[in-house]
Amino acid sequence: MTRSFLVLFALTLALGSAGSATDARPTAMLAVPGRANANPSIAAADRFVAIAWGAAAEGGATDVYVAVSRDQGQSFGAPLRVSDAASGTRLSGEQPPRVVLVPRGAKEPSIVVVWTGKDARGTRLLTARSEDGGRVF
């Protein structure tokens, strides 16, 4: 079951208002089809917004995804997976992925995502970084 609360939650934070049923602003869908999408984290700087969340396959692995907006959250690019199968991603409401924007002067900010993973060695903190505005991690 896909949780579409990511859309309203993320846009409410990005746009800075609760919105209403009569609000005419566009809505963006932030979800990976066919997966349970949950545990969002958001960071914004001026017009640049990045949202990270977990998307779990039914009976399978959980991956961390990021979507980026360059227009204050009015639209987002396609979600990009930032975790890999070997990471053993473990997310929850208490341990969501965290996204942070690092200023770089006149350039778009760097995007850093941190999440927890677990394997035979125990629990670990994992990270992915993008220096090109979220196109590649």
Side-chain angles (χ1 to χ4, degrees):
M1 177 173 98
T2 299
R3 297 181 193 173
S4 57
F5 74 88
L6 285 171
V7 176
L8 183 57
F9 174 78
L11 291 178
T12 298
L13 290 176
L15 297 172
S17 69
S20 68
T22 60
D23 198 341
R25 287 182 278 195
T27 301
M29 175 58 85
L30 296 177
V32 178
R35 289 184 167 229
N37 296 270
N39 306 311
S41 174
I42 186 169
D46 297 321
R47 299 183 59 79
F48 196 92
V49 180
I51 300 176
W53 72 94
E58 188 174 329
T62 298
D63 292 305
V64 177
Y65 285 82
V66 172
V68 171
S69 171
R70 291 172 172 80
D71 59 9
Q72 292 181 316
Q74 293 184 38
S75 64
F76 285 84
L80 182 65
R81 188 179 74 182
V82 300
S83 60
D84 62 21
S87 71
T89 300
R90 297 289 188 267
L91 304 175
S92 69
E94 289 81 27
Q95 292 182 313
R98 300 292 186 184
V99 62
V100 176
L101 300 178
V102 181
R104 298 188 316 146
K107 296 180 181 180
E108 290 183 328
S110 297
I111 304 169
V112 180
V113 183
V114 179
W115 68 96
T116 54
K118 187 173 183 178
D119 62 14
R121 298 173 287 181
T123 301
R124 302 171 294 137
L125 286 177
L126 302 160
T127 185
R129 185 179 185 111
S130 176
E131 297 292 337
D132 63 1
R135 292 170 185 86
V136 176
F137 281 84

